[in-house]
Amino acid sequence: MKKITLKDIASEFNVSVSTVSKAVHDSHEISVALKLKIQQYAKEKNYKPNKLALNLLGRSTRTIGVVVPNILNYFFVQVLYGIEKIANENGYNIISCISNESFLKESKTLEFLDSGPVDGLIISLAEETQIP
């Protein structure tokens, strides 16, 4: 099932994406009648805003990257649990990544996370990390 976008809704009503966005966000800048039609259609089609895109517009993803060497060790399971609990209490989500104690995997993971999907990073490097 394809996720419906603002562009899809705009095509349906022959209006701009900006108009649809204003309707979805209950702006006073468009007529009440059009706003209600668009809102009803969006609800019927199960439209959900792209939170990542909205967060990036605000220059914040409210997401923290967490890299641990493994999850077979109970300690790291507890660490992830604690980080996620505190992050959620403060309005953040986490992206958890497991490096499997591989230097190459750690490097690729850090490169990915540095490309923008997170606001911050918590990383635990294992002493045993293998350099290829």
Side-chain angles (χ1 to χ4, degrees):
M1 184 174 179
K2 181 181 179 260
K3 186 175 178 180
I4 190 166
T5 65
L6 291 178
K7 190 175 180 179
D8 297 331
I9 298 170
S11 292
E12 179 70 25
F13 288 92
N14 200 26
V15 296
S16 70
V17 172
S18 175
T19 299
V20 174
S21 178
K22 288 175 183 178
V24 169
H25 292 97
D26 204 25
S27 172
H28 67 279
E29 297 179 49
I30 61 172
S31 73
V32 174
L34 180 59
K35 184 175 10 177
L36 291 174
K37 285 180 189 176
I38 291 173
Q39 289 174 346
Q40 181 62 34
Y41 182 83
K43 186 176 179 179
E44 288 171 5
K45 297 295 182 180
N46 201 28
Y47 168 75
K48 301 279 188 244
N50 182 331
K51 293 209 183 267
L52 182 58
L54 292 172
N55 288 338
L56 289 175
L57 281 174
R59 297 180 186 237
S60 172
T61 62
R62 307 232 12 115
T63 303
I64 300 168
V66 181
V67 183
V68 295
N70 69 62
I71 58 167
L72 299 178
N73 182 326
Y74 185 69
F75 171 77
F76 290 115
V77 172
Q78 291 298 104
V79 167
L80 283 172
Y81 175 79
I83 292 170
E84 183 169 40
K85 182 178 184 294
I86 299 300
N88 290 164
E89 287 172 2
N90 289 282
Y92 283 81
N93 292 301
I94 69 166
I95 294 177
S96 56
C97 304
I98 303 157
S99 69
N100 290 323
E101 300 180 13
S102 162
F103 178 77
L104 182 60
K105 183 133 190 247
E106 283 174 0
S107 297
K108 286 182 178 184
T109 299
L110 292 176
E111 188 176 310
F112 165 72
L113 294 173
D114 188 44
S115 69
V118 298
D119 291 334
L121 182 64
I122 299 171
I123 182 167
S124 175
L125 301 173
E127 282 185 49
E128 299 84 19
T129 297
Q130 300 296 312
I131 299 175

